Amino acid sequence: MTLDNICKEIKESKSIIILAHKDPDGDAIGSSLAMYLALKQINLNVDIVMPVYPRIYGFLPGATEIKKEGNSNNYDLAIALDCGDRGRLGDCIEYFDKANKTISIDHHGTNKMFADYNYVNPDSCATAQSLFVVLNFMGINITKEIAECLYAGILTDTGGFKYSSVTEETFEIAKELFSKGINIADISKKMLDTITKPQLLLTKIAIGRLEVLEDGKIAFTYITKNESEEVNAENGDYEGIVNYGRNLEGVEVSVFLRETDDGFKVSLRSNSYVDVSDVALIFGGGGHKKASGCLINTPLEDAKTALVKEIKRYL
Ligand SMILES: [Mn+2]
């Protein structure tokens, strides 16, 4: 069984690198840190590597130990968390490809099963929820610090226990994590409510130009590279912008584009019946039914036309 293999591989590895998807969100970081703290607890030689991550997550236990790069190119084992696709590892793909063994722990329905061992549960609201099961299986003591990281991951991916991905198990796990003495109000405020100044300025621009298309069923907005540079935006500063369109009455799909050096990074959110992971897949991306993303390297108007055309088919 996969969990037995994962447990065995981890415990027998002499050097381990923990990786998550690029532009990591709260689930990617929370899960990676929980895994890092767990493996430290059983005295394994482990590194956690993220070239960049939003500084608002810097309060999480273990965050100060996140490295910008690994100290070798040949780890015994690479563990990818919250990552549905090799390509989503970004610059860290080399560590993954050169590791002797690889593990993926994830919850994306579009996961490509790209590791030697894949523990992927699309019914799980967050990778952190799946990881809770893995860590218990491994006999890890869920400390207050590990609980904080796992809770942060679940909180992010469920929007604060609000999404349809939340199950009875989610609350059962949250109860267990709560029992470790974590500060719920403090974590919620930092993970869900606190925004940076660039984030506020970008939100203002994006809302200012938000348009509704297709009889009010599609909300569309974007941020250009120039605008990002003007406000000194970092990766996490785009978090939540796509939700304004999604929350508008009558909207089924919200589309948010941000211009990067590689093209437009597209965020898609739906409210009830459109599976936006199907739309993202058409453009080489992936994700979940109600939250997905892809990259489109064309001029803005072409990207908009192509996306609206595909989304229309599902409306
Ligand atoms: Mn996730």
Side-chain angles (χ1 to χ4, degrees):
M1 158 189 182
T2 309
L3 271 184
D4 284 304
N5 290 326
I6 285 178
C7 194
K8 189 167 162 281
E9 285 299 336
I10 290 176
K11 288 182 175 170
E12 286 175 0
S13 291
K14 300 218 162 28
S15 61
I16 302 171
I17 183 165
I18 294 174
L19 305 167
H21 64 75
K22 62 178 175 185
D23 300 335
D25 58 13
D27 187 30
I29 295 188
S31 298
S32 300
L33 286 171
M35 182 58 111
Y36 176 76
L37 294 171
L39 301 191
K40 278 273 174 197
Q41 183 185 111
I42 53 173
N43 297 315
L44 291 171
N45 175 17
V46 57
D47 284 336
I48 174 169
V49 175
M50 287 180 191
V52 280
Y53 67 88
R55 60 193 158 84
I56 57 160
Y57 301 133
F59 78 96
L60 287 169
T64 52
E65 288 172 56
I66 294 175
K67 294 183 167 145
K68 285 200 188 306
E69 50 190 64
N71 52 24
S72 121
N73 241 338
N74 199 349
Y75 285 88
D76 230 7
L77 174 69
I79 307 176
L81 290 143
D82 200 39
C83 189
D85 187 326
R86 269 177 78 251
R88 292 276 287 140
L89 287 166
D91 293 341
C92 287
I93 198 161
E94 212 175 316
Y95 299 116
F96 189 85
D97 287 348
K98 288 185 176 160
N100 296 334
K101 283 279 167 57
T102 56
I103 289 172
S104 155
I105 299 170
D106 184 37
H107 70 129
H108 290 89
T110 52
N111 188 295
K112 302 236 169 74
M113 302 292 175
F114 56 92
D116 295 324
Y117 302 103
N118 300 279
Y119 185 72
V120 180
N121 183 2
D123 295 325
S124 187
C125 69
T127 293
Q129 176 168 315
S130 297
L131 185 58
F132 178 84
V133 176
V134 175
L135 297 186
N136 274 298
F137 187 88
M138 288 175 66
I140 298 293
N141 169 30
I142 306 293
T143 59
K144 184 185 171 193
E145 288 71 30
I146 293 175
E148 274 173 2
C149 295
L150 293 174
Y151 191 83
I154 291 173
L155 209 56
T156 300
D157 271 21
T158 61
F161 299 95
K162 279 197 307 198
Y163 300 154
S164 54
S165 55
V166 171
T167 60
E168 202 176 334
E169 192 187 3
T170 311
F171 284 111
E172 279 162 8
I173 291 173
K175 176 177 173 265
E176 289 268 337
L177 300 176
F178 184 84
S179 75
K180 306 297 177 187
I182 61 176
N183 187 333
I184 303 288
D186 186 54
I187 301 177
S188 294
K189 188 167 177 54
K190 287 173 176 157
M191 298 301 292
L192 301 176
D193 297 342
T194 306
I195 59 168
T196 63
K197 194 167 174 208
Q199 201 172 355
L200 182 80
L201 296 172
L202 293 174
T203 304
K204 196 173 138 189
I205 297 169
I207 290 177
R209 64 160 65 106
L210 187 135
E211 46 180 334
V212 284
L213 311 160
E214 297 303 314
D215 260 350
K217 290 197 179 74
I218 300 176
F220 178 89
T221 191
Y222 63 93
I223 293 286
T224 65
K225 232 178 83 186
N226 274 344
E227 289 160 346
S228 293
E229 282 163 10
E230 271 168 31
V231 303
N232 281 319
E234 293 175 20
N235 271 324
D237 293 332
Y238 305 89
E239 207 63 46
I241 294 180
V242 69
N243 294 339
Y244 287 93
R246 188 198 59 187
N247 291 345
L248 182 64
E249 195 175 19
V251 167
E252 171 57 19
V253 178
S254 176
V255 185
F256 170 60
L257 269 60
R258 69 163 162 115
E259 193 182 5
T260 69
D261 290 335
D262 309 320
F264 285 98
K265 197 173 180 296
V266 182
S267 297
L268 299 165
R269 297 290 182 276
S270 68
N271 274 308
S272 58
Y273 57 93
V274 174
D275 184 342
V276 286
S277 73
D278 284 343
V279 178
L281 275 173
I282 294 166
F283 297 97
H288 310 285
K289 273 174 93 160
K290 293 183 176 172
S292 67
C294 57
L295 192 74
I296 301 185
N297 196 359
T298 65
L300 178 66
E301 278 307 313
D302 296 347
K304 180 181 167 185
T305 307
L307 282 162
V308 171
K309 184 174 164 235
E310 290 305 330
I311 295 165
K312 258 170 77 176
R313 295 172 47 215
Y314 300 94
L315 288 175

